[in-house]
Amino acid sequence: MTNASLLAQPLTLPSGAVLKNRLIKSPMSDSLGDGAGNATAEQARLYERWAQGGTALSIIGEAQVTPHFPEKPGNLVLIPDADLGALQALATKGAANNTHIWPQLGHAGALAHAPVSHAKGPSPLDLDGLRCDGLSLDDIHALPPSYAQAALVAKQAGFSGVQIHAGHGFLFSQFLSPLFNHRTDAYGGAVPDRFRVIGETIDAVRRAVGPNFPIGIRINATDKLAGGLTTQDALHVITLLDQTSVDLIDISGGTYFPGAPSSSDGTNDDGAYFADFARQAKTATAIPLTLTGGIKTRQQAVEVLASGAADAVGLARTMCLDPALPDKWMTPAGGDPAFPRFQNTVPGGITAWYSMRLTAIAEDREDAFDMDLQTALDTYDTRDADRSLTWRVRFPDVG
């Protein structure tokens, strides 16, 4: 089997949905919402570009289930009074070319954006750079129905599935991590108890959307933090997920804890960061796996699939550099993107640079995109500050 044909194989999910190939545009926080939780024409165009470029599935990063704990003020908010017409336009354009498009259902918890939130996590924390209150039992019991409601809004808008975010240090990742979760009740302690609210949420979402609507989940292989989620615990989570109705498990790693390395901060060029974990996970579940992080070349993607480490490959920054990459990789010639090399980095600058490049793709001007890191960071921060003002007007009870 050739490299191109291996990548082009369809993948059937347990719900019956079929992904047309094995390349997935991983969730990224595109920050293209309007600041009031609604989709925009630019955001719809961005996902249309990825659909036209041949991806099997695009996942919209950080679509919030409540306006009270967003990752950023450019996030979507999937609540009953959302602008359904704008969401429908996004879903329709993102579904071009037989593409699946799923919002990633999220809640930032302790990492909620401070200007528009009063952060809460599984447990109260008072650490350097991170403070939050703890969720009450009533708060926790409200989580599964809030995710179910958001999933139903997504289905009504025409999205073809959802992904539950339980990675990268956001709320459900915090529940899984003993570094964040110090609870002594039914939602803390051993791995099954730290997982409990996630299992309850999967069940609630499945009841809301029915048996044929795909539900994915993203989890960490590791938090990359001392005292955080261990590989052994993450494998235990895989066995628990195997008993649920999820259709696709997306394996990544790292957190956005202040000063911690995220999954996108890897420095090696050797391929998938979490391939060894994925190989172990494949022995613990029959649910299809996606592997995300560190895959920059077609050969690396092919090796992941050929080795049996995963059933699909997640690409984020790689597809940010070339939104038509899947189509290129499924031709005999192939062709890999050229990653930028930054001489002088600034904290947060690389993330901001990629976010601003997404804006350029959404505006069909990526060929002229030429920002240094500091300019990208300044532009990104100014936009967030402006949208935070809009967010507070739209959601006056936050914070």
Side-chain angles (χ1 to χ4, degrees), residues 121-123 164-183 187-199 202 217-223 227-238 240-241 277:
S123 304
I164 295 169
H165 198 356
H168 290 180
F170 296 110
L171 182 66
F172 283 163
S173 177
Q174 292 160 25
F175 267 96
L176 292 174
S177 173
L179 188 63
F180 289 92
N181 186 347
H182 307 152
R183 301 185 73 94
Y187 294 95
V191 173
D193 296 319
R194 303 201 307 265
F195 175 82
R196 185 183 307 276
V197 69
I198 300 172
I202 293 168
I217 188 166
R218 164 166 278 186
I219 68 160
N220 275 5
T222 171
D223 290 346
L229 184 75
T230 66
T231 297
Q232 183 178 2
D233 283 357
L235 286 171
H236 194 168
V237 171
I238 293 288
L240 295 170
L241 286 171
F277 175 85

